[in-house]
Amino acid sequence: MDTEPSLSKKVKTLLIGGSRDLQDRSLFHALTLTAFLAWVGMGADGLSSSCYGPEEAFLALKGHSYLALLVGLASVATVLIISTSYTHIIELFPSGGGGYLVASKLLSPTFGMVSGCALIIDYVLTIGISISSGSDALFSFLPPEWHGYKLVFAVAGVLLLTVMNLRGIRESVVPLIPIMLVFVGTHVIAIAYAIVTHVPVLPKVFDTTVSEFSQAQSEIGLLGVFFLLMRSYSFGAGTYTGIEAVSNGLPVIREPRVENGKKTMRYMALSLSFMVLGLMIAYLLFQVEPVPGKTLNAVLFQTMTGGWGGWGTIFVTVTLLSEAALLFVAAQTGFLDGPRVLSNMAVDRWFPTRFSMLSDRLVTQNGILLMGGTALAMVLISRGSVRFLVVLYSITVFITFCLSQLGMVRHWWQERRRTARWRYKLGINGIGLLLTGFLLLSMSILKFYQGGWLTLLVTGLLVALAFVIKRHYRQTARQLNRLDELLVAATALSEKPAVEPAPVVPCDRKAKTAVLLVNGFNGLGLHTLLSVIKLFEGTFKNFIFVQVGSIDVGNFKGSAEIDRLTEHIVSEGKRYVRYMQQHGYFAESVTAIGVDVVEEIERIIPEVLERFPKTVLFGGQLVFQKESFFTRLLHNYTIFAVQKRLYHQGIPIVILPIRV
């Protein structure tokens, strides 16, 4: 009988939509992104850095502005080298090879964990700084008396993006397409106009750059010029954040995944290179000087359109508004990739397993809420101060860059006898390692006393927490090993070929029936089964085994993975059935798959009770010697949630403790 949805479910459906149909064979196609959409969702972080990266690098030259051409060329080379090295990572890890997985597989799980923790911090800061920067840019157009609402607007922006991502990946990206296109279109027009209108003086720019280099060398020496260029290059390092997003988000890109991933990376690298170098050249051509209260881009566009009349005002307004909007869009990268890194680490037990679970919208809901909530806290603590957040930003991503490049260098060296063009690939990743290592060192030094120490401290604390969580899961696994003796004996019996087939026990639906909630044919389930037989000796004639296959990030990779999961849980259920039949009982297995185990069980149990009215439900639960908030956080305690749901339907359930 259908029941009226509760008010909370109605509100949830209104905000984030109804449940996805796992039986829909086109589901994975509908959920994934084309190369263009992936560029919109993941490339915004990199492109938005052109709103502040080139400016930071340009201003760091302190009067030697024409050297910006050299810094711009170095920045383009860095973007191309890092993006090429990540293209190799995409080829090597076609199912997704972000910084966490690359370091875990090619270096060690511990290095992978450090890389993953750094990425999580980086993505939280990406959301916080993008929203705060977008708020600053937008409110610069509004009257000063409205500025008191800027923090409220930033908070609303974080909440809105959180809800959009809870609805689904594609749903959160499609509305952002117009913003991305307007930003790219206006900036391409501006850069092209700057270059075309100054074609006759372009040779002079190159000549002036050479003469200014010589002049600076005579003033501060060759070593001084080198440090000046390196300082400017380091200050523009925010330009490179976001390049890793494609390899992290590869699982959400449409098949053929590798080709579309590489295409997305090309879109990102070329668009970012054009923006960075183009803006640097435009600064020089229009002799842009900093103006208090305005970004360098704003000064450039206003100077450029000074003779355009009313059209110039419209163009500048649209361009700067597109920058403000794109900064909001850039936060989407944190929501796309942050929860995925967190879920992959949860699968490996570095973080609570609940972060690997999917919602009925087939998104990592817990991870999205954590990223959104943490970013919201950062915005509130900093009161939306971009100056404070930018100090914390971009250090951690270079930790991941370095570890990824180091892992790839090690891989190509080990595979040199079996890989074609290994010298070229080793060279690309080797240069990438040197560049990102230099940037990590320089960023850590330059930003340390300004507040960068806080980023490193928080990252270190997160690493320590991951070690503690991993240690707990390992200890629990060791304590559960004693149950494996039951599994070995039962497996031998259930899989031993019988000389004569076991007699078929007729099904008596009126006889007492034990329904056991199990999670695979394992020591935990067998311990619960043997406890029922021992405690209620001779009471039950029928045994029904209910198992729900949980769809999480680890197995949600395509229809084939879902089919394999279904086959696996059906096979596990049959092993219980064979085991009980060999002991002279009637047995049956009921299986299902879903993202919410509790909801699936709540649906299945009434159907079982209708067929077997004299039924008692049983479930096992691990009991720790010292229960705490920590153990409750790390273990799902699904059986208690099932108990609560079934009690509301008047269905009792017996929970048998299993001490560890």
Side-chain angles (χ1 to χ4, degrees):
M1 181 184 296
D2 294 334
T3 58
E4 180 72 15
S6 64
L7 178 61
S8 61
K9 284 194 174 183
K10 289 181 179 178
V11 172
K12 171 180 170 293
T13 302
L14 177 65
L15 290 177
I16 65 177
S19 302
R20 302 277 192 183
D21 182 10
L22 291 170
Q23 305 304 319
D24 183 1
R25 306 303 294 182
S26 64
L27 175 64
F28 291 91
H29 182 80
L31 290 177
T32 51
L33 304 175
T34 62
F36 174 75
L37 288 178
W39 173 65
V40 172
M42 302 174 193
D45 183 22
L47 275 182
S48 69
S49 66
S50 64
C51 300
Y52 52 83
E55 176 179 353
E56 291 290 327
F58 190 80
L59 295 178
L61 290 170
K62 293 183 176 180
H64 300 280
S65 57
Y66 276 88
L67 297 181
L69 184 60
L70 300 177
V71 177
L73 291 171
S75 298
V76 169
T78 304
V79 169
L80 295 178
I81 288 171
I82 294 177
S83 61
T84 302
S85 67
Y86 269 92
T87 299
H88 296 161
I89 291 175
I90 289 172
E91 293 173 343
L92 193 60
F93 294 89
S95 61
Y100 167 68
L101 291 176
V102 172
S104 296
K105 300 291 185 183
L106 302 183
L107 295 175
S108 74
T110 300
F111 278 118
M113 179 270 293
V114 172
S115 177
C117 289
L119 269 179
I120 290 170
I121 300 297
D122 178 71
Y123 286 131
V124 169
L125 290 171
T126 294
I127 297 170
I129 197 171
S130 297
I131 295 293
S132 298
S133 299
S135 299
D136 278 357
L138 183 62
F139 273 79
S140 65
F141 289 93
L142 300 176
E145 57 268 21
W146 289 27
H147 288 190
Y149 297 99
K150 186 165 62 176
L151 181 59
V152 176
F153 185 80
V155 168
V158 175
L159 294 176
L160 176 62
L161 279 176
T162 302
V163 172
M164 287 175 62
N165 281 275
L166 289 174
R167 291 186 65 86
I169 295 170
R170 189 181 179 88
E171 288 82 354
S172 66
V173 171
V174 171
L176 310 179
I177 295 175
I179 296 172
M180 190 75 153
L181 293 180
V182 171
F183 175 88
V184 172
T186 54
H187 284 68
V188 167
I189 290 172
I191 292 170
Y193 176 82
I195 294 174
V196 170
T197 55
H198 290 80
V199 169
V201 301
L202 286 178
K204 185 179 178 182
V205 172
F206 296 109
D207 293 340
T208 307
T209 301
V210 174
S211 63
E212 189 162 294
F213 183 89
S214 300
Q215 181 183 348
Q217 183 180 349
S218 63
E219 292 175 358
I220 58 178
L222 183 60
L223 191 61
V225 173
F226 174 78
F227 280 116
L228 179 64
L229 290 172
M230 289 300 99
R231 183 174 184 273
S232 171
Y233 175 71
S234 299
F235 269 67
T239 303
Y240 318 122
T241 60
I243 295 178
E244 84 295 339
V246 178
S247 63
N248 281 334
L250 203 60
V252 303
I253 295 178
R254 184 167 298 172
E255 296 285 359
R257 192 167 288 160
V258 172
E259 290 305 313
N260 281 328
K262 291 163 68 174
K263 190 182 296 184
T264 303
M265 185 64 78
R266 284 196 294 271
Y267 291 164
M268 184 183 296
L270 293 176
S271 58
L272 181 56
S273 298
F274 176 81
M275 291 292 177
V276 172
L277 185 58
L279 287 171
M280 286 281 206
I281 293 174
Y283 293 157
L284 294 175
L285 294 175
F286 281 96
Q287 299 291 303
V288 176
E289 296 290 339
V291 175
K294 292 184 178 181
T295 65
L296 214 57
N297 283 3
V299 176
L300 169 66
F301 298 141
Q302 289 171 348
T303 304
M304 179 187 301
T305 60
W308 293 14
W311 289 108
T313 303
I314 294 173
F315 180 81
V316 171
T317 303
V318 171
T319 303
L320 294 180
L321 283 175
S322 74
E323 285 194 356
L326 189 72
L327 286 164
F328 279 103
V329 175
Q332 181 61 20
T333 301
F335 280 110
L336 282 178
D337 286 344
R340 182 161 297 279
V341 174
L342 189 61
S343 62
N344 285 330
M345 295 181 74
V347 169
D348 294 335
R349 300 297 191 269
W350 289 110
F351 287 119
T353 54
R354 64 184 70 239
F355 288 111
S356 68
M357 296 178 179
L358 299 172
S359 71
D360 57 5
R361 293 290 296 176
L362 301 177
V363 296
T364 49
Q365 177 175 290
N366 291 327
I368 291 171
L369 290 174
L370 179 67
M371 298 298 292
T374 309
L376 182 61
M378 290 294 298
V379 169
L380 290 172
I381 291 170
S382 66
R383 300 196 63 78
S385 170
V386 176
R387 179 170 295 180
F388 172 75
L389 291 172
V390 78
V391 170
L392 308 180
Y393 189 50
S394 77
I395 294 177
T396 49
V397 73
F398 285 103
I399 296 175
T400 296
F401 280 163
C402 285
L403 291 175
S404 297
Q405 300 300 326
L406 178 61
M408 293 298 290
V409 166
R410 182 186 183 194
H411 170 77
W412 297 131
W413 179 253
Q414 291 176 336
E415 297 293 316
R416 63 189 182 280
R417 302 184 190 280
R418 296 183 289 273
T419 303
R421 302 181 67 205
W422 68 270
R423 288 186 177 86
Y424 165 75
K425 295 177 179 179
L426 179 65
I428 290 292
N429 289 116
I431 295 172
L433 176 60
L434 292 175
L435 288 175
T436 55
F438 167 77
L439 287 168
L440 173 61
L441 182 62
S442 59
M443 294 292 288
S444 299
I445 294 173
L446 291 171
K447 290 188 173 184
F448 187 82
Y449 290 109
Q450 299 175 18
W453 62 269
L454 183 58
T455 302
L456 297 173
L457 175 63
V458 172
T459 304
L461 291 175
L462 190 60
V463 167
L465 177 63
F467 272 121
V468 172
I469 292 172
K470 184 76 167 184
R471 180 185 176 188
H472 171 82
Y473 280 128
R474 282 176 174 166
Q475 288 177 341
T476 303
R478 282 197 296 267
Q479 290 169 336
L480 288 174
N481 282 342
R482 62 186 178 84
L483 300 178
D484 289 346
E485 297 177 4
L486 291 174
L487 180 60
V488 172
T491 300
L493 183 59
S494 64
E495 296 181 352
K496 180 180 178 181
V499 178
E500 296 181 4
V504 177
V505 180
C507 173
D508 182 1
R509 298 189 186 278
K510 294 182 180 180
K512 290 190 178 296
T513 303
V515 175
L516 282 81
L517 306 180
V518 295
N519 182 25
F521 189 73
N522 51 38
L524 190 62
L526 287 168
H527 186 282
T528 304
L529 172 61
L530 296 179
S531 296
V532 170
I533 294 173
K534 180 180 178 181
L535 292 171
F536 302 91
E537 185 176 358
T539 302
F540 299 108
K541 304 301 180 185
N542 305 322
F543 286 83
I544 310 297
F545 299 92
V546 175
Q547 181 178 358
V548 176
S550 177
I551 298 177
D552 59 17
V553 171
N555 51 45
F556 188 67
K557 297 176 181 176
S559 299
E561 288 289 336
I562 300 299
D563 292 340
R564 277 194 287 271
L565 174 63
T566 303
E567 292 173 5
H568 173 71
I569 65 167
V570 169
S571 173
E572 295 287 275
K574 288 179 178 178
R575 295 176 72 182
Y576 276 112
V577 171
R578 285 196 300 270
Y579 179 74
M580 295 309 294
Q581 286 177 343
Q582 289 167 350
H583 283 79
Y585 294 98
F586 172 80
E588 186 179 304
S589 172
V590 179
T591 60
I593 61 170
V595 294
D596 191 323
V597 174
V598 177
E599 283 192 2
E600 290 298 320
I601 292 175
E602 186 182 21
R603 178 185 62 81
I604 291 171
I605 293 303
E607 298 175 0
V608 174
L609 290 176
E610 189 174 339
R611 295 169 51 221
F612 298 90
K614 295 183 179 180
T615 290
V616 179
L617 270 64
F618 295 93
Q621 174 60 49
L622 297 180
V623 178
F624 296 93
Q625 293 179 354
K626 294 181 180 180
E627 289 283 345
S628 65
F629 170 78
F630 190 68
T631 57
R632 289 191 293 273
L633 177 66
L634 299 185
H635 298 275
N636 297 324
Y637 292 92
T638 303
I639 192 66
F640 293 123
V642 170
Q643 183 187 49
K644 183 177 180 180
R645 292 280 189 93
L646 295 181
Y647 271 10
H648 285 301
Q649 299 184 37
I651 303 173
I653 180 170
V654 178
I655 299 177
L656 300 174
I658 302 173
R659 289 175 59 91
V660 294

